[in-house]
């Protein structure tokens, strides 16, 4: 039986969280890891799928979700994009990201879809 902390996706998530805190100035208290969609304050009491996000980042005066990150231990493909975008139909975060340990792609919500950029923005950049 393998230890969950040794799974490739978990190693990717740990490395990403360290990078976010140490290099991009994300405050630890504004990061939620592996929680259900129903744990988002603005979704409490609403009917939401029983799904778990990998990482969510909060901020602002209302402490709203700013960034949802999905970690994968495989190449990033359309299925991964569809998954994180599907979560965001409910969450409504302005930023999404996919990380597989080799690359990070950030999706920035725009009026008619998403713009994709390489890398992850610093925490302060999430506020526009």
């Amino acid at each position: 039986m393998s230890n969950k902390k040794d799974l490739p996706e978990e190693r990717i998530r740990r490395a990403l969280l360290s990078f976010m805190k140490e290099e991009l100035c994300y405050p630890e208290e504004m990061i939620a890891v592996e929680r259900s969609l129903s744990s988002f304050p603005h979704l409490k009491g609403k009917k939401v799928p029983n799904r778990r996000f990998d990482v969510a980042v909060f901020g602002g005066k209302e402490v709203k979700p700013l960034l949802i990150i999905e970690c994968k231990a495989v190449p990033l493909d359309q299925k991964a994009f569809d998954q994180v975008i599907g979560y965001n139909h409910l969450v409504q975060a302005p930023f999404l990201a996919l990380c597989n340990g080799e690359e990070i792609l950030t999706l920035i919500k725009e009026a008619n879809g998403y713009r994709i950029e390489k890398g992850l923005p610093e925490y302060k950049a999430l506020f526009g």
Side-chain angles (χ1 to χ4, degrees):
M1 191 160 151
S2 72
N3 182 347
K4 183 179 179 200
K5 292 186 183 227
D6 290 333
L7 294 174
E9 190 173 293
E10 181 60 26
R11 287 193 300 268
I12 290 166
R13 183 172 28 256
R14 279 197 318 266
L16 175 66
L17 290 167
S18 177
F19 172 69
M20 290 169 66
K21 293 178 220 172
E22 294 170 17
E23 303 292 326
L24 301 176
C25 302
Y26 282 75
E28 189 163 0
E29 66 274 11
M30 293 299 192
I31 300 172
V33 179
E34 275 200 294
R35 299 228 183 104
S36 68
L37 287 175
S38 61
S39 72
F40 282 101
H42 68 294
L43 297 179
K44 289 224 184 288
K46 294 183 180 178
K47 186 174 170 117
V48 296
N50 187 18
R51 305 270 182 180
R52 297 177 74 79
F53 59 85
D54 286 328
V55 178
V57 176
F58 296 86
K61 290 181 180 161
E62 306 91 39
V63 189
K64 62 181 183 175
L66 298 173
L67 169 66
I68 304 294
I69 305 172
E70 189 63 29
C71 298
K72 298 291 181 190
V74 297
L76 303 178
D77 60 9
Q78 189 60 49
K79 186 176 173 185
F81 281 93
D82 292 345
Q83 180 181 6
V84 75
I85 289 169
Y87 289 167
N88 208 39
H89 283 300
L90 295 165
V91 176
Q92 295 297 305
F95 297 88
L96 307 174
L98 293 166
C99 173
N100 69 358
E102 293 179 22
E103 67 178 332
I104 302 172
L105 298 175
T106 298
L107 292 79
I108 302 162
K109 193 170 172 79
E110 295 184 334
N112 57 352
Y114 291 92
R115 181 177 81 244
I116 300 173
E117 292 187 2
K118 288 188 178 284
L120 196 63
E122 289 187 350
Y123 182 71
K124 65 183 177 188
L126 300 179
F127 296 94

